[in-house]
Amino acid sequence: MPSTSGIASRLAAVRARIDAAATAAGRAPHDVRLLLATKTQDAATVLEALDAAADLADRAGDPRPVLVGENRVQELVAKAPDLAAHVAAGRLEVHMIGHLQRNKANQLLATASCLETVDTLDLARALSARCARDGRELAVMVQVNVSGEASKSGVAPDHAAELATGVAALPGLRLTGFMTIGARAEDEAVVRAGFARLREVSDAVVASGAPGTAEARELSMGMTGDLELAIAEGATIVRVGTAVFGARPAPAAPPEV
Ligand SMILES: *Cc1c(COP(=O)(O)O)cnc(C)c1O
């Protein structure tokens, strides 16, 4: 069925941006995955984007599942029934990219395979206990607030390595990397320095040789407005919403990030 929404063509344009930025940075396009940031989009729209993304990946010879990220557990749960078959078939992997309240841990575990926003050891311990009890594993990333902006979640960069080492040692959790939201700044050098800081944290943690840290190499950073800067600093996952889906309606409440 031909699409009239424009998602497929916008998605292709975003992928071209990513590929160009990777090439300019001397990196392989394959090293940077696109995560579809689907907050406020309904399930039908997410499925349309999934098909378009899977098609692009096929043509690029990329067998990995398409990545989707949600900000709110409520939305994850609402869309989960429509996505479940695709997850089971290995076509789709769902990440939580918004702040998680501890009392939503069970719903998270039922619907997502990676939580990108661990920012306290308390939260990690609660998830670890549930995973250990259920005999399962959850991939996690540590969210770092590289800009220091009060509106953003995440551990301070100076405490990120310590938190990551603590998280990596917990049973049931697999530390796969680090996530950040770039500074809201006009000056590209400021934004880029924040992304470089995340890479330095990751490099230091991996080099530490601490148990469970060897695979913490994912850097989830870069969005519609700053993905080129993030890729130049080593992003392995860029999280894109607006450039694929168009502008979101203004939220009634501030987004949980
Ligand atoms: C909304 C969101 C994105 C995508 O932002 P765009 O500017 O729409 O591309 C990425 N990451 C997080 C955590 C978000 O909440």
Side-chain angles (χ1 to χ4, degrees):
M1 193 171 67
S3 160
T4 52
S5 72
I7 284 179
S9 61
R10 286 196 299 263
L11 189 67
V14 171
R15 189 63 238 185
R17 271 178 72 187
I18 294 169
D19 293 356
T23 304
R27 304 178 57 202
H30 185 82
D31 289 346
V32 187
R33 296 176 77 183
L34 168 61
L35 176 147
L36 297 162
T38 50
K39 60 175 174 270
T40 77
Q41 307 300 333
D42 63 20
T45 306
V46 178
L47 290 174
E48 182 184 345
L50 166 63
D51 281 343
D55 201 47
L56 268 184
D58 269 356
R59 278 186 268 150
D62 184 349
R64 297 170 296 184
V66 172
L67 301 177
V68 157
E70 283 288 347
N71 288 68
R72 292 168 188 266
V73 167
Q74 209 179 330
E75 275 198 60
L76 267 176
V77 169
K79 295 173 210 178
D82 293 287
L83 304 183
H86 299 281
V87 173
R91 283 185 90 208
L92 175 64
E93 190 180 311
V94 179
H95 290 198
M96 173 71 174
I97 61 173
H99 182 73
L100 180 73
Q101 291 167 287
R102 292 245 313 252
N103 62 1
K104 303 272 174 64
N106 285 338
Q107 287 155 293
L108 172 88
L109 287 167
T111 50
S113 63
C114 178
L115 174 64
E116 295 198 6
T117 55
V118 170
D119 60 357
T120 66
L121 200 53
D122 266 3
L123 173 62
R125 286 202 182 106
L127 291 163
S128 168
R130 281 184 171 78
C131 286
R133 189 187 65 197
D134 299 348
R136 59 160 287 178
E137 194 176 63
L138 178 70
V140 295
M141 300 186 197
V142 166
Q143 182 177 0
V144 183
N145 186 356
V146 294
S147 68
E149 289 164 25
S151 61
K152 294 191 167 95
S153 298
V155 65
D158 286 347
H159 299 291
E162 185 190 346
L163 175 59
T165 308
V167 171
L170 293 171
L173 301 185
R174 184 162 47 89
L175 181 70
T176 58
F178 296 83
M179 177 272 205
T180 197
I181 298 169
R184 196 191 291 254
E186 292 290 320
D187 186 351
E188 289 195 348
V190 171
V191 180
R192 194 165 163 165
F195 293 143
R197 189 81 175 88
L198 196 72
R199 176 170 41 78
E200 287 159 14
V201 167
S202 167
D203 286 348
V205 167
V206 172
S208 74
T213 60
E215 280 160 41
R217 294 186 181 280
E218 298 283 2
L219 293 175
S220 174
M221 57 189 194
M223 319 199 307
T224 292
D226 56 16
L227 67 87
E228 281 86 359
L229 300 174
I231 290 168
E233 292 296 344
T236 63
I237 296 174
V238 293
R239 308 177 309 268
V240 180
T242 306
V244 173
F245 298 106
R248 289 176 292 274
E256 293 171 40
V257 292

